[in-house]
Amino acid sequence: MQDTSPNPFPADLYGGRLTIDTDAIAANWSSLKSKLTGGAECAATIKANAYGTGQTETALRLHQEGCRTFFVAVPTEAVSLRQTLPNATIYALDGLFPGTADLLIQHNIRPVLGSLEELKEWAATCTAAGRSFDAAVHVDTGIHRLGLSGEEFLSALADPSLMGAFQPNLLMSHLACGSTPDHPMNRTQLQTFKTLTDPFKGISRSLANSAGVLLGEDYHFDLVRPGISLFGGRAFDHGENPMRPVAKVEVRIMIVRNVPAGDTIGYSAAETAKRPLRNAVVAAGYADGLLRRAGSSDDRPGGFAMIGDHKVPILGRISMDMITLDVTDIPEHLVKRGAFVEMLGPNVAAADLAAYAETIDYEYLTSLGRRFERVYGPLA
């Protein structure tokens, strides 16, 4: 599926271009699906505007590829997705906000119930309607965010005042340390989840996020719900990333200038030129999701961009709308006013850039492109 999303201005007016390859997203989903055994379903987690790639475009392409179950975070995302995919199964991970049960039912949204209060409210709605409406129940196995405690979970599922009105269609939990495959907590959570849910084997179960898919069959159960891997990010903190990149950020060069040795660059005079430099200033910054923490100083290197096959370091602070790059050693014909520089993409992995910014690729992907021209197609 290659199609250009509407942009309100002509391309030449944008400081940068964000290209998103939904075919690559679909290929990543199919790759993860191929790892499943025993009939497990591969869903897709597309919260936060599909990790910055566009919820509508991504959902449609994944549905075309064969995905039928989708997870988002908040009810607004779920209702919007329902307008795009009238027949898909849609879960809202953030659960049941007070007083919203009727609206979710109206749009056929399944909340992931993560507390006794939520479960009781949903059961009361089912009782009033005289029928059980689909929803998941989330049990906490050690991450201590959302989810019923083990004791609450077992008590609730044995309570006829709740279960007489409502029968969950999915039991789920979430891994705390999946990105570190050798972490002992993974096996601990797996065993806890099995112990708590084995008595209810007639109900589908889900534990695996992207990392859980790659951890192996023990973690797959009936349904997996990958997120970051669909969008080319790293599921594991270390090792090769088997996923295809799906996004590319290119930004325009505004000016090329010379900086004498000993002069400083950018805000707070953070970086001092150690030799005569030629700098290119590009039209993007932290307001576009290119995080300030990836800037450089005299005390630490910063991230980098690519011009053709040439790696160009970031120099000095990243500001709201501008980044300065060291192009001293780059052929002059490649560094011209108006030319594009790759800030993220096939040659600048989000995970690598995130390491300079002391964060994770999730933050980069979900923050990108507020002011960029947005294009859907291959990352050519």
Side-chain angles (χ1 to χ4, degrees), residues 51-99:
Y51 287 63
T53 65
Q55 176 178 283
T56 299
E57 295 83 359
T58 294
L60 287 170
R61 183 63 185 88
L62 285 169
H63 192 267
Q64 182 186 58
E65 193 71 8
C67 184
R68 295 293 179 264
T69 300
F70 296 84
F71 288 79
V72 292
V74 295
T76 52
E77 294 175 331
V79 172
S80 176
L81 181 58
R82 174 59 69 213
Q83 296 168 2
T84 303
L85 298 177
N87 300 313
T89 299
I90 300 173
Y91 288 92
L93 288 164
D94 284 6
L96 179 63
F97 294 173

Short mmCIF file of all heavy atoms in Angstrom, two decimals, residues 51-99:
data_model
loop_
_atom_site.label_atom_id
_atom_site.label_comp_id
_atom_site.label_asym_id
_atom_site.label_seq_id
_atom_site.Cartn_x
_atom_site.Cartn_y
_atom_site.Cartn_z
N TYR A 51 2.60 4.32 17.09
CA TYR A 51 4.00 4.65 17.36
C TYR A 51 4.51 5.75 16.44
O TYR A 51 5.66 5.75 16.01
CB TYR A 51 4.87 3.40 17.24
CG TYR A 51 4.70 2.41 18.37
CD1 TYR A 51 3.49 1.78 18.60
CD2 TYR A 51 5.76 2.09 19.22
CE1 TYR A 51 3.31 0.87 19.64
CE2 TYR A 51 5.60 1.17 20.26
CZ TYR A 51 4.37 0.58 20.46
OH TYR A 51 4.19 -0.33 21.48
N GLY A 52 3.63 6.70 16.14
CA GLY A 52 4.02 7.84 15.33
C GLY A 52 3.87 7.64 13.84
O GLY A 52 4.08 8.59 13.07
N THR A 53 3.48 6.46 13.38
CA THR A 53 3.43 6.20 11.94
C THR A 53 2.08 6.51 11.31
O THR A 53 1.95 6.49 10.09
CB THR A 53 3.78 4.73 11.64
OG1 THR A 53 2.78 3.87 12.20
CG2 THR A 53 5.15 4.36 12.20
N GLY A 54 1.07 6.80 12.13
CA GLY A 54 -0.26 7.10 11.60
C GLY A 54 -1.21 5.93 11.84
O GLY A 54 -1.09 4.88 11.21
N GLN A 55 -2.15 6.12 12.76
CA GLN A 55 -3.03 5.02 13.14
C GLN A 55 -3.87 4.53 11.96
O GLN A 55 -3.98 3.32 11.73
CB GLN A 55 -3.96 5.46 14.28
CG GLN A 55 -4.98 4.39 14.68
CD GLN A 55 -5.86 4.81 15.83
OE1 GLN A 55 -5.42 4.79 16.97
NE2 GLN A 55 -7.08 5.23 15.54
N THR A 56 -4.46 5.43 11.21
CA THR A 56 -5.36 5.02 10.13
C THR A 56 -4.62 4.24 9.06
O THR A 56 -5.03 3.14 8.67
CB THR A 56 -6.05 6.25 9.52
OG1 THR A 56 -6.83 6.90 10.52
CG2 THR A 56 -6.93 5.86 8.35
N GLU A 57 -3.53 4.80 8.56
CA GLU A 57 -2.80 4.16 7.47
C GLU A 57 -2.23 2.81 7.91
O GLU A 57 -2.27 1.82 7.16
CB GLU A 57 -1.67 5.08 6.99
CG GLU A 57 -2.14 6.37 6.35
CD GLU A 57 -2.48 7.46 7.36
OE1 GLU A 57 -2.36 7.22 8.58
OE2 GLU A 57 -2.85 8.57 6.92
N THR A 58 -1.68 2.78 9.12
CA THR A 58 -1.07 1.54 9.61
C THR A 58 -2.12 0.47 9.87
O THR A 58 -1.93 -0.70 9.51
CB THR A 58 -0.27 1.84 10.89
OG1 THR A 58 0.84 2.68 10.55
CG2 THR A 58 0.25 0.56 11.52
N ALA A 59 -3.24 0.85 10.47
CA ALA A 59 -4.29 -0.13 10.75
C ALA A 59 -4.84 -0.73 9.46
O ALA A 59 -5.05 -1.95 9.37
CB ALA A 59 -5.40 0.53 11.55
N LEU A 60 -5.08 0.10 8.48
CA LEU A 60 -5.61 -0.40 7.22
C LEU A 60 -4.64 -1.38 6.56
O LEU A 60 -5.04 -2.43 6.03
CB LEU A 60 -5.91 0.76 6.27
CG LEU A 60 -7.14 1.60 6.61
CD1 LEU A 60 -7.20 2.85 5.76
CD2 LEU A 60 -8.41 0.77 6.44
N ARG A 61 -3.35 -1.06 6.60
CA ARG A 61 -2.37 -1.95 5.94
C ARG A 61 -2.23 -3.25 6.71
O ARG A 61 -2.12 -4.33 6.11
CB ARG A 61 -1.01 -1.24 5.83
CG ARG A 61 0.05 -2.08 5.10
CD ARG A 61 -0.37 -2.33 3.66
NE ARG A 61 0.56 -3.22 2.99
CZ ARG A 61 0.47 -4.56 3.00
NH1 ARG A 61 -0.51 -5.16 3.67
NH2 ARG A 61 1.36 -5.29 2.36
N LEU A 62 -2.23 -3.20 8.04
CA LEU A 62 -2.15 -4.42 8.83
C LEU A 62 -3.40 -5.28 8.65
O LEU A 62 -3.31 -6.51 8.57
CB LEU A 62 -1.94 -4.08 10.31
CG LEU A 62 -0.55 -3.60 10.69
CD1 LEU A 62 -0.54 -3.05 12.11
CD2 LEU A 62 0.48 -4.73 10.55
N HIS A 63 -4.54 -4.65 8.57
CA HIS A 63 -5.77 -5.40 8.33
C HIS A 63 -5.72 -6.07 6.97
O HIS A 63 -6.12 -7.24 6.81
CB HIS A 63 -6.98 -4.47 8.43
CG HIS A 63 -8.29 -5.18 8.49
ND1 HIS A 63 -9.04 -5.45 7.37
CD2 HIS A 63 -8.99 -5.69 9.54
CE1 HIS A 63 -10.14 -6.10 7.71
NE2 HIS A 63 -10.14 -6.25 9.02
N GLN A 64 -5.20 -5.36 5.98
CA GLN A 64 -5.03 -5.95 4.65
C GLN A 64 -4.09 -7.15 4.70
O GLN A 64 -4.30 -8.15 3.99
CB GLN A 64 -4.47 -4.89 3.70
CG GLN A 64 -4.27 -5.36 2.27
CD GLN A 64 -3.59 -4.30 1.42
OE1 GLN A 64 -2.48 -3.86 1.75
NE2 GLN A 64 -4.23 -3.88 0.35
N GLU A 65 -3.10 -7.09 5.58
CA GLU A 65 -2.14 -8.19 5.71
C GLU A 65 -2.74 -9.38 6.43
O GLU A 65 -2.19 -10.49 6.35
CB GLU A 65 -0.90 -7.68 6.47
CG GLU A 65 0.30 -8.60 6.41
CD GLU A 65 0.97 -8.65 5.05
OE1 GLU A 65 0.61 -7.85 4.15
OE2 GLU A 65 1.86 -9.50 4.87
N GLY A 66 -3.83 -9.17 7.16
CA GLY A 66 -4.48 -10.29 7.85
C GLY A 66 -4.67 -10.11 9.33
O GLY A 66 -5.23 -10.98 10.00
N CYS A 67 -4.21 -8.99 9.90
CA CYS A 67 -4.39 -8.74 11.33
C CYS A 67 -5.84 -8.38 11.61
O CYS A 67 -6.43 -7.54 10.92
CB CYS A 67 -3.47 -7.60 11.77
SG CYS A 67 -3.51 -7.28 13.55
N ARG A 68 -6.40 -9.02 12.65
CA ARG A 68 -7.80 -8.79 12.96
C ARG A 68 -8.03 -8.26 14.37
O ARG A 68 -9.15 -7.86 14.70
CB ARG A 68 -8.58 -10.11 12.79
CG ARG A 68 -8.63 -10.61 11.34
CD ARG A 68 -9.43 -9.65 10.48
NE ARG A 68 -9.49 -10.05 9.08
CZ ARG A 68 -8.67 -9.59 8.13
NH1 ARG A 68 -7.73 -8.71 8.45
NH2 ARG A 68 -8.79 -9.99 6.88
N THR A 69 -7.00 -8.25 15.21
CA THR A 69 -7.14 -7.78 16.59
C THR A 69 -6.11 -6.69 16.86
O THR A 69 -4.92 -6.86 16.55
CB THR A 69 -6.95 -8.93 17.58
OG1 THR A 69 -7.94 -9.93 17.33
CG2 THR A 69 -7.10 -8.45 19.02
N PHE A 70 -6.58 -5.58 17.44
CA PHE A 70 -5.73 -4.41 17.65
C PHE A 70 -5.85 -3.92 19.09
O PHE A 70 -6.94 -3.94 19.67
CB PHE A 70 -6.13 -3.28 16.69
CG PHE A 70 -5.93 -3.62 15.24
CD1 PHE A 70 -6.90 -4.34 14.54
CD2 PHE A 70 -4.78 -3.24 14.58
CE1 PHE A 70 -6.72 -4.66 13.20
CE2 PHE A 70 -4.58 -3.56 13.24
CZ PHE A 70 -5.56 -4.28 12.56
N PHE A 71 -4.72 -3.48 19.63
CA PHE A 71 -4.67 -2.89 20.97
C PHE A 71 -4.24 -1.43 20.84
O PHE A 71 -3.27 -1.11 20.13
CB PHE A 71 -3.66 -3.63 21.85
CG PHE A 71 -4.11 -4.99 22.29
CD1 PHE A 71 -4.02 -6.08 21.44
CD2 PHE A 71 -4.64 -5.19 23.56
CE1 PHE A 71 -4.44 -7.34 21.83
CE2 PHE A 71 -5.07 -6.45 23.97
CZ PHE A 71 -4.96 -7.53 23.10
N VAL A 72 -4.99 -0.56 21.51
CA VAL A 72 -4.60 0.84 21.64
C VAL A 72 -4.58 1.16 23.13
O VAL A 72 -4.83 0.29 23.96
CB VAL A 72 -5.56 1.77 20.86
CG1 VAL A 72 -5.41 1.54 19.36
CG2 VAL A 72 -7.00 1.55 21.30
N ALA A 73 -4.29 2.41 23.48
CA ALA A 73 -4.19 2.74 24.89
C ALA A 73 -5.49 3.33 25.42
O ALA A 73 -6.16 2.74 26.26
CB ALA A 73 -3.02 3.70 25.13
N VAL A 74 -5.87 4.50 24.92
CA VAL A 74 -6.98 5.24 25.52
C VAL A 74 -8.24 5.12 24.68
O VAL A 74 -8.19 4.79 23.49
CB VAL A 74 -6.61 6.73 25.69
CG1 VAL A 74 -5.48 6.89 26.71
CG2 VAL A 74 -6.20 7.35 24.36
N PRO A 75 -9.40 5.38 25.28
CA PRO A 75 -10.66 5.22 24.54
C PRO A 75 -10.75 6.07 23.28
O PRO A 75 -11.36 5.64 22.30
CB PRO A 75 -11.71 5.63 25.57
CG PRO A 75 -11.10 5.35 26.89
CD PRO A 75 -9.65 5.65 26.73
N THR A 76 -10.18 7.27 23.28
CA THR A 76 -10.26 8.09 22.06
C THR A 76 -9.58 7.39 20.89
O THR A 76 -10.07 7.45 19.76
CB THR A 76 -9.62 9.47 22.30
OG1 THR A 76 -8.30 9.29 22.84
CG2 THR A 76 -10.45 10.30 23.26
N GLU A 77 -8.44 6.75 21.15
CA GLU A 77 -7.78 5.98 20.09
C GLU A 77 -8.66 4.85 19.61
O GLU A 77 -8.73 4.55 18.40
CB GLU A 77 -6.45 5.43 20.60
CG GLU A 77 -5.40 6.48 20.91
CD GLU A 77 -4.14 5.88 21.52
OE1 GLU A 77 -4.23 4.82 22.19
OE2 GLU A 77 -3.06 6.46 21.33
N ALA A 78 -9.32 4.18 20.55
CA ALA A 78 -10.15 3.03 20.21
C ALA A 78 -11.35 3.44 19.36
O ALA A 78 -11.66 2.79 18.35
CB ALA A 78 -10.62 2.34 21.48
N VAL A 79 -12.03 4.52 19.74
CA VAL A 79 -13.20 4.96 18.99
C VAL A 79 -12.79 5.42 17.59
O VAL A 79 -13.47 5.14 16.59
CB VAL A 79 -13.94 6.08 19.75
CG1 VAL A 79 -15.05 6.68 18.90
CG2 VAL A 79 -14.52 5.52 21.05
N SER A 80 -11.67 6.11 17.50
CA SER A 80 -11.16 6.53 16.19
C SER A 80 -10.84 5.32 15.31
O SER A 80 -11.16 5.28 14.12
CB SER A 80 -9.92 7.40 16.37
OG SER A 80 -9.35 7.74 15.13
N LEU A 81 -10.21 4.31 15.90
CA LEU A 81 -9.87 3.11 15.15
C LEU A 81 -11.11 2.38 14.69
O LEU A 81 -11.14 1.80 13.59
CB LEU A 81 -8.99 2.20 16.01
CG LEU A 81 -8.50 0.90 15.37
CD1 LEU A 81 -7.70 1.18 14.10
CD2 LEU A 81 -7.66 0.11 16.37
N ARG A 82 -12.16 2.39 15.50
CA ARG A 82 -13.41 1.73 15.09
C ARG A 82 -13.97 2.34 13.82
O ARG A 82 -14.52 1.64 12.95
CB ARG A 82 -14.44 1.82 16.24
CG ARG A 82 -15.82 1.31 15.89
CD ARG A 82 -15.80 -0.16 15.47
NE ARG A 82 -15.48 -1.04 16.56
CZ ARG A 82 -14.80 -2.19 16.43
NH1 ARG A 82 -14.37 -2.57 15.23
NH2 ARG A 82 -14.54 -2.95 17.47
N GLN A 83 -13.79 3.65 13.65
CA GLN A 83 -14.26 4.30 12.43
C GLN A 83 -13.47 3.83 11.21
O GLN A 83 -14.00 3.80 10.10
CB GLN A 83 -14.15 5.82 12.59
CG GLN A 83 -15.07 6.37 13.68
CD GLN A 83 -14.76 7.81 14.04
OE1 GLN A 83 -13.88 8.44 13.45
NE2 GLN A 83 -15.47 8.34 15.02
N THR A 84 -12.22 3.45 11.43
CA THR A 84 -11.37 2.96 10.35
C THR A 84 -11.64 1.50 10.04
O THR A 84 -11.68 1.10 8.87
CB THR A 84 -9.88 3.15 10.72
OG1 THR A 84 -9.64 4.52 11.00
CG2 THR A 84 -8.97 2.68 9.60
N LEU A 85 -11.81 0.68 11.09
CA LEU A 85 -11.97 -0.76 10.94
C LEU A 85 -13.28 -1.19 11.62
O LEU A 85 -13.29 -1.56 12.80
CB LEU A 85 -10.78 -1.50 11.56
CG LEU A 85 -9.40 -1.24 10.95
CD1 LEU A 85 -8.32 -1.97 11.73
CD2 LEU A 85 -9.38 -1.65 9.48
N PRO A 86 -14.38 -1.17 10.91
CA PRO A 86 -15.68 -1.45 11.53
C PRO A 86 -15.81 -2.85 12.11
O PRO A 86 -16.60 -3.05 13.05
CB PRO A 86 -16.67 -1.25 10.36
CG PRO A 86 -15.95 -0.41 9.37
CD PRO A 86 -14.51 -0.75 9.51
N ASN A 87 -15.04 -3.82 11.58
CA ASN A 87 -15.24 -5.21 12.00
C ASN A 87 -14.08 -5.79 12.80
O ASN A 87 -14.11 -6.98 13.15
CB ASN A 87 -15.48 -6.08 10.76
CG ASN A 87 -16.72 -5.64 9.99
OD1 ASN A 87 -17.77 -5.41 10.58
ND2 ASN A 87 -16.58 -5.49 8.68
N ALA A 88 -13.07 -4.99 13.12
CA ALA A 88 -11.91 -5.50 13.86
C ALA A 88 -12.25 -5.66 15.34
O ALA A 88 -13.18 -5.04 15.86
CB ALA A 88 -10.72 -4.57 13.70
N THR A 89 -11.48 -6.50 16.02
CA THR A 89 -11.53 -6.59 17.48
C THR A 89 -10.58 -5.54 18.05
O THR A 89 -9.39 -5.52 17.68
CB THR A 89 -11.12 -7.99 17.96
OG1 THR A 89 -12.05 -8.95 17.42
CG2 THR A 89 -11.13 -8.08 19.47
N ILE A 90 -11.08 -4.68 18.93
CA ILE A 90 -10.28 -3.56 19.43
C ILE A 90 -10.31 -3.56 20.96
O ILE A 90 -11.39 -3.55 21.56
CB ILE A 90 -10.82 -2.22 18.90
CG1 ILE A 90 -10.77 -2.19 17.37
CG2 ILE A 90 -10.01 -1.05 19.49
CD1 ILE A 90 -11.45 -0.97 16.76
N TYR A 91 -9.12 -3.56 21.57
CA TYR A 91 -8.97 -3.47 23.02
C TYR A 91 -8.39 -2.12 23.40
O TYR A 91 -7.49 -1.60 22.73
CB TYR A 91 -8.02 -4.56 23.52
CG TYR A 91 -8.58 -5.96 23.49
CD1 TYR A 91 -8.39 -6.77 22.38
CD2 TYR A 91 -9.28 -6.47 24.57
CE1 TYR A 91 -8.88 -8.06 22.34
CE2 TYR A 91 -9.78 -7.77 24.55
CZ TYR A 91 -9.59 -8.56 23.43
OH TYR A 91 -10.09 -9.83 23.40
N ALA A 92 -8.87 -1.58 24.51
CA ALA A 92 -8.31 -0.35 25.09
C ALA A 92 -7.50 -0.72 26.33
O ALA A 92 -8.06 -1.10 27.36
CB ALA A 92 -9.43 0.62 25.46
N LEU A 93 -6.19 -0.62 26.23
CA LEU A 93 -5.29 -1.10 27.28
C LEU A 93 -5.43 -0.32 28.59
O LEU A 93 -5.18 -0.88 29.67
CB LEU A 93 -3.84 -1.03 26.79
CG LEU A 93 -3.44 -2.06 25.75
CD1 LEU A 93 -2.14 -1.66 25.06
CD2 LEU A 93 -3.29 -3.44 26.38
N ASP A 94 -5.79 0.95 28.50
CA ASP A 94 -5.90 1.76 29.72
C ASP A 94 -7.18 1.50 30.50
O ASP A 94 -7.43 2.13 31.52
CB ASP A 94 -5.77 3.25 29.39
CG ASP A 94 -4.34 3.65 29.11
OD1 ASP A 94 -3.47 2.76 29.06
OD2 ASP A 94 -4.09 4.86 28.91
N GLY A 95 -7.99 0.58 30.00
CA GLY A 95 -9.11 0.09 30.78
C GLY A 95 -10.37 0.92 30.66
O GLY A 95 -10.65 1.55 29.64
N LEU A 96 -11.14 0.92 31.74
CA LEU A 96 -12.46 1.53 31.78
C LEU A 96 -12.40 2.81 32.59
O LEU A 96 -12.26 2.79 33.81
CB LEU A 96 -13.46 0.55 32.40
CG LEU A 96 -14.90 1.04 32.54
CD1 LEU A 96 -15.51 1.30 31.17
CD2 LEU A 96 -15.73 0.04 33.33
N PHE A 97 -12.50 3.95 31.89
CA PHE A 97 -12.59 5.22 32.61
C PHE A 97 -13.98 5.36 33.22
O PHE A 97 -14.97 4.87 32.63
CB PHE A 97 -12.31 6.39 31.67
CG PHE A 97 -10.90 6.44 31.12
CD1 PHE A 97 -10.56 7.37 30.15
CD2 PHE A 97 -9.91 5.58 31.58
CE1 PHE A 97 -9.26 7.43 29.64
CE2 PHE A 97 -8.62 5.63 31.08
CZ PHE A 97 -8.30 6.56 30.10
N PRO A 98 -14.11 5.98 34.37
CA PRO A 98 -15.42 6.04 35.04
C PRO A 98 -16.52 6.60 34.14
O PRO A 98 -16.35 7.63 33.47
CB PRO A 98 -15.15 6.98 36.23
CG PRO A 98 -13.69 6.83 36.51
CD PRO A 98 -13.05 6.64 35.17
N GLY A 99 -17.65 5.89 34.10
CA GLY A 99 -18.80 6.37 33.37
C GLY A 99 -18.76 6.20 31.87
O GLY A 99 -19.62 6.74 31.17
#
